[in-house]
Amino acid sequence: MISMTNKCMQCGRCSAACPMATEMDLPPHMWVYRINNGGQSSVQQTEAIWQCLSCFCCEARCPRGVKPAHLAEEARGGQGKFTNDKGKLLENISANANDKIPRQLLVAALRKAGEPCA
Amino acid sequence: MRIGVFVCHCGNNIKATVDVALLAERVREGFLWGASSVSPSVSPSVSPSASPSVTSVVFSADYMYLCAEGGQKMITDAITEHGLEGVVVCACSPRMHEATFRKAAQRAGLNPYKLEIANIREQCSWVHADKKAATDKALSLAKAAIAKVKLAKPLFPGENTVEKRALVIGGGIAGIQAALDIAEAGFAVDLVEKTPSIGGKMAQLDKTFPTLDCSACILTPKMVEAASHENITLHTYSEVEKVEGFVGSFTAVIRKKARGVNIKKCTGCGDCLAACPMKKIPNEFESGMANRTAIYIPFAQAVPNVPVIDRNHCAYFKNGKCKRCEGACQPKAIDFSQEDELIAERYGVIVAATGYEPIALDAFGEYGYHDNKDVITSLEFERLTNASGPTGGKLLRPSDGRVPKRVTFIQCVGSRDATARGKPYCSKVCCMYTAKHAILIKEKHPETDVEVFYIDVRTPGKSFEEFYRRAVEAYGVRYIKGQVGKVIGENGSLRIQAMDMLENGRYDSVTDLVVLAAAVEPSADTKKIARMLAAPADVNGFLSEAHPKLRPVESATAGVFLCGMANGPKDIPETVAQASAAACKAIGILMKDKLVTNPCTAKADEDLCNGCGLCVGVCPYGAISSEGGAFPRVVCVNSALCQGCGGCAAACPSGAMDLQGFSHRQITAEVDALCL
């Protein structure tokens, strides 16, 4: 994924399209820029990756084929709440869920695992 | 056979990776082509003892730069002194210096096709690091070349005559300029234009950057000159249907579409236009921003100034009734019975100047081009600001005819876009024409706010940067680094949702007019024309130059030249320069009475050919037929048409077809020398 970020030419179309950009501490074009320079860990402490709605508008508009929404998702997944040491998705996600886990992470994990959302 | 081998150092290009002295010595080891003992002496060395019946390398030497005069002299001297019957030059690619060395051989009395190149630079020294291995490989390549030259037959180039007439396809500024330059040199030119008038896209433009001179004012004199030049024949409303032949002797079939108006009788008075009841047809010249009649003259300065009947919209052609134009025409020029006319003409050269179109914006729904009348393309803006345009040059919004208080320009719409909906390249002209548009607005309406959304502003051209800075500094045009995500029509205005990259924040504005700098692409017919001319095109459909630096106006197909946007995005000065260059190259051929043809063409052995005809279908140049041969079904090759690709030789099941200079036996010998 990181190798894809060097296709970005910083036009800003992703952030211009993003419905949440005005709320974010780091709009999509900036997290692409930061991941390109500092890797995925450099965005994991931002609020923005949790504010991303996965609407994929940024990806539809991007003229270079960069996938900001995917990058955000990867950064969220990279926090390891539902993955084991090897980054593999845990079984039985609902059992591991609790109120403190961000809803988006939970929904994404359930989607990926194919479990029904409660 | 007495063979001489010459090894070039190419400075350090070869010498640093290949042991050239050792190579020059080892090529004389004769395990494949008759014995001759290796002498330990330093090269150059000679083994005059070799018997004439045995092929052997009787001379070998290495030299710093063989292509230099001294190097060539070394070759010519050796040919004379040692009676060489074949020469192998171990040096750079044959594309670089094969011609140089073959000419040298010819000067020494050796048939030039008895000289072969072993490419030990591009295919050896440049791509390897290990000196020992590279030297071994260079030796193998040299031995393969020796094996090939051993079987080489002397070849003699033929000649074909040059038809002293040029065909220029496309009547925009590129085609007009090329036609004028060729005509001025004294050669006949046919200028073929698809639309009813010459002039092309430049005729639609208002002013031209960076000098702001009026486009029509500088173009129309050229159009008139082209029309009145004694050496130029205009074929407007015409299309090239078929091209056959080869450099010096092309034949083209041109379809002159039926105008419905006798071009000789018509005075261009325009009475027919006034009489036409079909008045609501979108006007192509006005980019659809105004209407025209079914019988129409595309624009006021059209050349020729003769109307054409648009049969798709004409009431008579649709319903069989009307003919009002005929009644209005005093010189009786209207002719409903006119039919398409096909003419065939021979040409020595062809110039392709097929131009461009802005891309369709269907895939860019976020800008609302199809939903809002006030979202327009840059070409539409040209008409909107043009004194001869639909508003008479007044800047009025298409929706309500008001003067916009704010105009927003969006750059790179589809340009620099690597996805399926855009084009990966920079369209090159947009930055400059947008700065021009911004200045034109500010000149007319200083109070109108102008903002430009850009990714990068690219101004590499004479006086271009100064022009752009003038827009910013003298006219107060606001440039915002960022792109627009969405344009939303709202209460008669347009809401822009954008990103300001330097503020790192959202930039939202309400504007009255949005102008989209749509990417350019080759005109729709470029592909068809390219196929007809057997002229290669690149991945984006632009016609390819034979060499991007050294042969920028030639197609890889001999006798076909390129200019203008057909070859890639470029502005007017570049287009004109390229058109003149293409004309110059074309004149270079037209000046000659005869052209020397490459003798490395295919040849069929009539005794072996079984007449299956596989080669006929394979040949991309239509050079093979069963006519003109000694036997009825046996094929023969027209050596003037054959380009020496070798497709037929590979396809022939009976081995009858062979490529001279690259015969089956030679290729097999090369492979054997490499592998055995």
Side-chain angles (χ1 to χ4, degrees), chain B residues 587-667:
Chain B
I587 293 163
I589 291 179
L590 294 173
M591 291 290 286
K592 291 178 182 147
D593 291 324
K594 285 190 169 157
L595 292 173
V596 173
T597 56
N598 182 0
C600 294
T601 53
K603 199 176 175 188
D605 183 331
E606 287 172 345
D607 293 333
L608 289 177
C609 174
N610 62 18
C612 72
L614 265 179
C615 52
V616 179
V618 166
C619 179
Y621 307 100
I624 307 174
S625 70
S626 53
E627 288 157 31
F631 308 99
R633 272 170 56 81
V634 165
V635 297
C636 77
V637 180
N638 180 338
S639 60
L641 286 174
C642 175
Q643 301 288 311
C645 72
C648 54
C652 179
S654 57
M657 194 62 91
D658 217 351
L659 187 59
Q660 300 183 91
F662 298 87
S663 68
H664 291 305
R665 285 190 64 209
Q666 283 180 292
I667 305 287

Side-chain angles (χ1 to χ4, degrees), chain B residues 58-396:
Chain B
V58 296
F59 180 86
S60 68
D62 58 281
Y63 194 79
M64 180 81 102
Y65 290 106
L66 277 176
C67 59
E69 214 167 302
Q72 291 186 50
K73 189 167 182 298
M74 180 191 220
I75 296 173
T76 51
D77 287 352
I79 292 172
T80 330
E81 278 173 35
H82 303 290
L84 301 180
E85 296 154 295
V87 170
V88 168
V89 176
C90 305
C92 53
S93 160
R95 293 194 61 159
M96 289 294 293
H97 277 304
E98 187 180 69
T100 311
F101 296 128
R102 283 189 167 169
K103 272 182 200 153
Q106 193 163 26
R107 283 201 299 276
L110 186 70
N111 184 284
Y113 296 89
K114 304 275 275 182
L115 182 143
E116 286 293 334
I117 304 281
N119 180 358
I120 62 164
R121 192 178 76 169
E122 284 84 347
Q123 290 176 354
C124 187
S125 71
W126 275 0
V127 289
H128 298 300
D130 183 324
K131 194 162 183 175
K132 193 189 167 297
T135 307
D136 287 345
K137 178 172 169 182
L139 182 63
S140 297
L141 293 171
K143 285 181 173 171
I146 292 165
K148 188 181 176 205
V149 83
K150 193 174 140 185
L151 298 168
K153 291 200 173 80
L155 298 175
F156 302 93
E159 277 180 341
N160 67 275
T161 54
V162 177
E163 187 66 37
K164 308 260 177 193
R165 191 178 191 88
L167 171 66
V168 176
I169 307 173
I173 181 59
I176 291 173
Q177 184 66 44
L180 280 173
D181 287 346
I182 297 171
E184 271 302 293
F187 296 102
V189 183
D190 285 3
L191 179 56
V192 177
E193 164 59 39
K194 190 171 71 170
T195 69
S197 168
I198 57 169
K201 290 283 183 296
M202 189 177 167
Q204 290 179 270
L205 308 183
D206 183 24
K207 303 286 194 291
T208 54
F209 60 77
T211 43
L212 292 184
D213 34 358
C214 154
S215 185
C217 308
I218 56 176
L219 176 67
T220 44
K222 280 199 182 285
M223 290 162 62
V224 172
E225 199 188 336
S228 57
H229 202 292
E230 56 177 8
N231 286 341
I232 299 180
T233 309
L234 282 190
H235 295 296
T236 51
Y237 206 49
S238 301
E239 289 183 52
V240 178
E241 285 226 324
K242 196 172 158 191
V243 176
E244 283 178 335
F246 47 91
V247 56
S249 183
F250 292 106
T251 305
V253 177
I254 298 161
R255 177 179 291 273
K256 294 189 71 129
K257 289 178 281 185
R259 270 182 184 264
V261 178
N262 186 322
I263 205 160
K264 289 194 181 108
K265 286 187 190 166
C266 175
T267 59
C269 68
D271 287 351
C272 52
L273 277 62
C276 181
M278 311 298 281
K279 296 192 191 299
K280 289 270 164 86
I281 303 155
N283 185 330
E284 298 86 354
F285 183 78
E286 300 292 357
S287 298
M289 299 179 88
N291 292 331
R292 62 164 171 82
T293 44
I295 183 165
Y296 70 106
I297 298 178
F299 55 101
Q301 306 96 324
V303 170
N305 187 29
V306 174
V308 52
I309 297 174
D310 171 2
R311 296 191 175 192
N312 294 326
H313 291 100
C314 170
Y316 174 74
F317 281 105
K318 278 168 77 178
N319 311 318
K321 278 186 200 149
C322 182
K323 289 199 174 184
R324 284 192 214 172
C325 50
E326 193 179 49
C329 180
Q330 287 190 350
K332 304 282 171 228
I334 309 284
D335 179 4
F336 288 100
S337 67
Q338 214 178 60
E339 281 178 13
D340 289 5
E341 187 191 344
L342 289 176
I343 54 170
E345 187 71 69
R346 288 187 60 206
Y347 303 98
V349 290
I350 299 175
V351 178
T354 47
Y356 76 102
E357 294 289 343
I359 61 165
L361 294 177
D362 303 351
F364 293 86
E366 69 264 35
Y367 298 126
Y369 173 69
H370 293 301
D371 309 326
N372 301 295
K373 278 186 159 182
D374 296 329
V375 179
I376 60 173
T377 66
S378 300
L379 204 54
E380 287 164 6
F381 185 86
E382 291 285 349
R383 297 313 303 157
L384 202 60
T385 186
N386 194 310
S388 71
T391 60
K394 294 198 183 76
L395 181 66
L396 304 173

